[in-house]
Amino acid sequence: MELSRGIAQFVCHQTMLPYKTWKSVLWFVATWLLTIGLVVSVSTSYWLIGPPDSDGVAARFGFIEDCSVSTSNDSSSTTKFSCSGLRTNFQPLLLLVVMCILGVGVFSLTFLTLLTLIYCFCDQLTACGRSFHTLAGIWQATASLVTLVGVGLFPVLWEDDTITNICKTSQIFELGECSPGFSLYLAVACCFLGYIVAGFSLSLDKSTFRVTRFDSMESLDTYKQSGY
């Protein structure tokens, strides 16, 4: 607790005192749900769902787990879906690009979400004369845009062997024998939710906050003790 307050005092050289409302609590919860949703989406292997193999196990594709469908060389031509742990092959280059773009978006949102914990101990974080909610709104909108770009580039990969191994006849913007999985739907939903949360964050400055500047943390404590 003391460490958290010490970090808050170091960061909060000036502050905006919030009027505690359900709106700020709603924004806090929505930010965490948004980030958790994106982390779950990127880390799970259900972006695409392919046809079942000979054992009835549905094939699937994800960015983190290395999964593929193998076909036996005998006359039965049975298929077997299997995963071999974390992905180590990042070919083609576009696959690596998409993963990096998604990683930047998710990492930046995760970092912002962790900053909201400091916000719990600090009346308001500020930087460059802007309040924390203003910066958070811009940050969330930018990160959501970056993530959406990664999701938008994903269909370009569908003609690569990495995808056709699972989806057979897939091409660019054509899924072939696959169907979108919940990870893809979750990523798209979180991207649009990010814009809604960002707009809500920007609106908090106008409706629930007033600006008060302080020269030091001591003057802030005096201000609080005076009952303003």
Side-chain angles (χ1 to χ4, degrees):
M1 180 69 70
E2 292 299 327
L3 177 60
S4 300
R5 292 186 179 277
I7 295 174
Q9 289 182 356
F10 176 77
V11 175
C12 300
H13 55 87
Q14 65 180 25
T15 185
M16 292 180 69
L17 298 180
Y19 298 115
K20 302 298 184 180
T21 66
W22 64 269
K23 292 183 178 180
S24 59
V25 176
L26 179 61
W27 173 82
F28 179 85
V29 173
T31 297
W32 274 87
L33 291 177
L34 167 64
T35 304
I36 293 173
L38 281 177
V39 171
V40 170
S41 172
V42 173
S43 60
T44 52
S45 299
Y46 292 93
W47 283 69
L48 296 177
I49 305 298
D53 62 8
S54 299
D55 296 328
V57 178
R60 62 184 189 272
F61 173 83
F63 292 103
I64 305 299
E65 199 173 14
D66 190 7
C67 300
S68 61
V69 176
S70 57
T71 304
S72 62
N73 295 324
D74 54 26
S75 57
S76 62
S77 297
T78 58
T79 58
K80 178 69 175 180
F81 172 76
S82 61
C83 296
S84 57
L86 297 178
R87 181 180 298 278
T88 57
N89 180 16
F90 300 101
Q91 296 296 327
L93 180 60
L94 183 60
L95 174 62
L96 181 60
V97 171
V98 172
M99 291 181 65
C100 288
I101 292 175
L102 291 175
V104 169
V106 173
F107 177 79
S108 59
L109 278 175
T110 302
F111 183 73
L112 172 65
T113 303
L114 294 177
L115 282 181
T116 62
L117 293 178
I118 301 179
Y119 170 79
C120 291
F121 299 99
C122 176
D123 288 314
Q124 191 73 11
L125 304 179
T126 61
C128 303
R130 297 284 185 176
S131 77
F132 177 64
H133 274 291
T134 298
L135 293 176
I138 297 173
W139 195 329
Q140 287 173 324
T142 303
S144 298
L145 177 61
V146 171
T147 306
L148 190 60
V149 170
V151 174
L153 288 175
F154 178 54
V156 182
L157 285 170
W158 294 353
E159 68 173 358
D160 185 75
D161 293 341
T162 305
I163 305 297
T164 56
N165 172 260
I166 296 175
C167 301
K168 310 305 179 186
T169 59
S170 62
Q171 299 179 10
I172 297 178
F173 293 101
E174 293 183 14
L175 276 177
E177 298 182 29
C178 283
S179 59
F182 86 88
S183 297
L184 179 56
Y185 286 124
L186 183 60
V188 174
C190 285
C191 288
F192 287 103
L193 176 62
Y195 284 104
I196 297 175
V197 176
F200 187 65
S201 179
L202 292 172
S203 69
L204 284 176
D205 282 332
K206 297 180 180 180
S207 60
T208 62
F209 291 89
R210 56 188 172 90
V211 177
T212 305
R213 293 182 180 273
F214 300 98
D215 297 328
S216 65
M217 292 303 299
E218 289 74 15
S219 61
L220 170 60
D221 293 336
T222 302
Y223 183 88
K224 290 181 176 178
Q225 293 172 4
S226 64
Y228 287 101

